[in-house]
Amino acid sequence: MNVTVNRRSLLYAIICIILPVTLSVEPAYSSLSASGTISSQVSKGIRNRVSAGFSGRITIKEDVIYAPALLPLFYERRAYLPAWSNDGGLLPYVNSLIKAVRKAYEEGLRPEDYHLLAIETILKEVRRDEIRNKPPDAGKLVNLDLLLTDSFLLYGAHLLSGKVNPETIDPEWFANRRKVNMVEILEKSLAENRIESGLKNLLPTYRVYYLLKVALKSYRKIASAGRWPAVPDGPKMQKGDVGDRVIALRERLALTGDFASQE
């Protein structure tokens, strides 16, 4: 009898020790399972922004997403997984895209039109959190992913077809536009870690485009030196006119090589 009582007492004691430990561990485990990895959290956030029920307009830090039709297609094809980060952090081609966008001015485009400021702001916040050993902020990574994806798609479309609407300029220009699948271009560029070359391959190969870039560089050099003389306002100038306005116009045209002195 004493042996039975002692065994029961021992079993009861073991249960009293183990049960509280089990109860204290279970909530933490359930919480971890519910939240999942950082990539799964970012994936869920992306899905909520661009999947079914998508309103067609996303604004991030006052920047409007310009490719609302392509984003759902791009992310659906990758099961809404983030394109620019994983559980290990940001991926190397984030810097490659930023580097490429910063060079947009060489193509006569403005880097700020491709979410550069918003991207760099969020990127700075994410990296600051990393330095401070703070857990990744899924919301920031969602916003960053959408901005980077839209930046690539928008910039690539402008390199391919121009920033203006071709239909408002010339029907022939519209008919001769090169057609590519920008989603596939982005997917391939990410898979091969060749963001810059992926965008560069979209540039026109015509010689006239090269000459335009040379002229743009020349004009910018003149402007940076502060050498663009202003032509005073006045009536339309005609052949045979003289005066200060004619002199100013000659000086300006001479800077670009469009006027040769007859003296």
Side-chain angles (χ1 to χ4, degrees):
M1 177 65 70
N2 290 337
V3 173
T4 302
V5 171
N6 289 340
R7 285 179 177 175
R8 288 177 178 175
S9 299
L10 179 59
L11 181 60
Y12 178 77
I14 291 173
I15 292 174
C16 289
I17 293 172
I18 294 177
L19 187 58
V21 174
T22 305
L23 291 175
S24 66
V25 171
E26 182 61 26
Y29 177 78
S30 299
S31 176
L32 178 61
S33 299
S35 62
T37 65
I38 184 62
S39 288
S40 65
Q41 294 178 49
V42 176
S43 178
K44 182 179 179 180
I46 291 173
R47 181 188 292 270
N48 290 339
R49 299 291 290 275
V50 302
S51 62
F54 177 57
S55 65
R57 181 181 177 87
I58 299 176
T59 302
I60 301 172
K61 285 190 176 293
E62 300 183 357
D63 274 34
V64 176
I65 295 298
Y66 292 103
L70 293 181
L71 255 67
L73 175 61
F74 170 73
Y75 283 108
E76 182 180 352
R77 288 170 63 150
R78 57 186 297 110
Y80 298 99
L81 288 173
W84 306 88
S85 68
N86 57 25
D87 287 331
L90 297 172
L91 295 169
Y93 32 73
V94 171
N95 292 330
S96 298
L97 178 60
I98 292 174
K99 182 179 178 181
V101 170
R102 284 175 178 165
K103 293 181 179 179
Y105 72 93
E106 295 179 3
E107 312 303 329
L109 300 169
R110 303 190 312 167
E112 58 268 28
D113 289 343
Y114 308 102
H115 310 305
L116 185 60
L117 178 58
I119 288 171
E120 291 182 330
T121 298
I122 298 176
L123 191 59
K124 187 180 297 183
E125 295 172 356
V126 170
R127 287 175 173 164
R128 186 187 301 126
D129 290 343
E130 290 178 350
I131 293 173
R132 295 175 179 175
N133 293 320
K134 292 180 61 177
D137 186 315
K140 292 178 182 177
L141 292 177
V142 169
N143 287 340
L144 187 59
D145 218 88
L146 295 176
L147 285 170
L148 288 165
T149 298
D150 194 60
S151 177
F152 183 99
L153 295 173
L154 182 63
Y155 184 37
H158 287 171
L159 293 179
L160 183 71
S161 303
K163 188 175 179 181
V164 296
N165 180 0
E167 291 179 277
T168 64
I169 297 177
D170 192 316
E172 182 180 358
W173 173 278
F174 178 71
N176 291 335
R177 287 175 63 192
R178 296 173 295 157
K179 296 182 182 297
V180 300
N181 188 320
M182 283 303 304
V183 168
E184 291 182 357
I185 294 293
L186 175 54
E187 289 173 344
K188 183 178 180 180
S189 299
L190 290 169
E192 298 177 356
N193 192 12
R194 300 180 62 186
I195 297 297
E196 290 184 81
S197 59
L199 288 168
K200 189 175 182 180
N201 289 339
L202 297 172
L203 288 169
T205 56
Y206 309 117
R207 176 169 171 76
V208 66
Y209 185 79
Y210 167 77
L211 294 176
L212 285 170
K213 289 177 64 174
V214 171
L216 176 62
K217 186 176 181 180
S218 175
Y219 288 168
R220 282 176 169 164
K221 184 177 181 180
I222 294 171
S224 64
R227 296 170 58 198
W228 280 118
V231 179
D233 292 336
K236 176 182 176 181
M237 284 187 279
Q238 299 181 11
K239 184 177 181 179
D241 284 353
V242 295
D244 293 340
R245 296 180 65 238
V246 174
I247 294 174
L249 178 59
R250 286 178 176 176
E251 290 176 353
R252 181 156 183 161
L253 293 175
L255 286 173
T256 60
D258 295 315
F259 174 79
S261 175
Q262 297 178 352
E263 297 180 359

